[in-house]
């Protein structure tokens, strides 16, 4: 029985490679988003701790004007950093959506070619089975004719 060969196997490999690249890109984006979220959470916690420190200094009477100014400036700077990180997070999430679409498209492209390959293989197997069946019928007919000739039966049809 002949062996099935699909001439576009290189295309499947290429599409699989593109799919893996898209998956890797998405994984990096997700890691970046997780890192940004962790950073934002850390900055929020730091703001809460600083507010507690300011309150503690105020209760103990150690809160001076310059110290309050330092805390205030640092908190403002931290809030700006949080805003920038949140804006970056929003942009990263938009990029994540685009990368998810790219991955989905890459998967669908690969699956489409694999489906074509499966259809071609099935058609090849059907044709091979048909040819094999014809060969078996020819062999059976030839064997029957030979058997009848050996038995000395003439064709009276």
């Amino acid at each position: 029985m002949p062996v099935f060969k699909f001439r576009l196997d290189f295309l499947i490999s290429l599409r699989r490679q593109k799919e893996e690249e898209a998956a890797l890109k998405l994984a990096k984006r997700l890691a970046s988003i997780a890192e940004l979220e962790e950073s934002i959470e850390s900055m929020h916690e730091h703001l809460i701790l600083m507010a507690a420190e300011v309150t503690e200094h105020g209760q103990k009477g150690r809160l001076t004007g310059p110290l309050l100014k330092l805390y205030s400036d640092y908190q403002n700077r931290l809030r700006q950093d949080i805003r920038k990180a949140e804006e970056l997070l929003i942009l990263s999430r938009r990029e994540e959506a685009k990368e998810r679409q790219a991955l989905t498209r890459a998967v669908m492209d690969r699956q489409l070619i694999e489906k074509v390959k499966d259809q071609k293989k099935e058609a090849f197997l059907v044709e091979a089975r048909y040819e094999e069946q014809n060969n078996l019928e020819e062999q059976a007919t030839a064997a029957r004719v030979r058997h009848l000739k050996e038995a000395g039966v003439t064709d009276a049809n």
Side-chain angles (χ1 to χ4, degrees), residues 117-150:
K117 178 182 178 180
D118 291 343
Q119 289 171 349
K120 296 273 187 189
K121 185 175 184 178
E122 186 59 34
F124 173 81
L125 292 175
V126 166
E127 181 65 28
R129 281 190 226 115
Y130 178 75
E131 287 179 21
E132 186 177 351
Q133 182 65 35
N134 282 342
N135 289 339
L136 289 175
E137 288 174 2
E138 287 176 12
Q139 288 175 1
T141 302
R144 184 163 192 251
V145 168
R146 189 178 59 241
H147 178 66
L148 289 174
K149 281 184 181 180
E150 288 175 0

Side-chain angles (χ1 to χ4, degrees), residues 3-30:
V3 177
F4 174 73
K5 291 182 182 175
F6 187 61
R7 286 187 263 167
L8 298 177
D9 274 333
F10 72 93
L11 190 57
I12 291 175
S13 299
L14 180 65
R15 299 255 170 113
R16 185 170 283 122
Q17 182 181 4
K18 286 186 178 187
E19 179 184 341
E20 289 170 357
E21 288 171 2
L24 180 63
K25 195 172 182 181
L26 178 61
K28 286 180 180 179
R29 177 70 59 190
L30 291 173

Side-chain angles (χ1 to χ4, degrees), residues 72-87:
S72 176
D73 289 346
Y74 186 70
Q75 284 178 335
N76 287 336
R77 175 67 182 177
L78 205 50
R79 285 187 183 107
Q80 286 176 352
D81 290 347
I82 289 171
R83 258 192 314 277
K84 287 178 185 176
E86 286 173 344
E87 289 171 4

Side-chain angles (χ1 to χ4, degrees), residues 36 91 111 118 125 150 155:
L36 268 172
L91 293 174
Q111 289 175 342
D118 291 343
L125 292 175
E150 288 175 0
D155 192 13

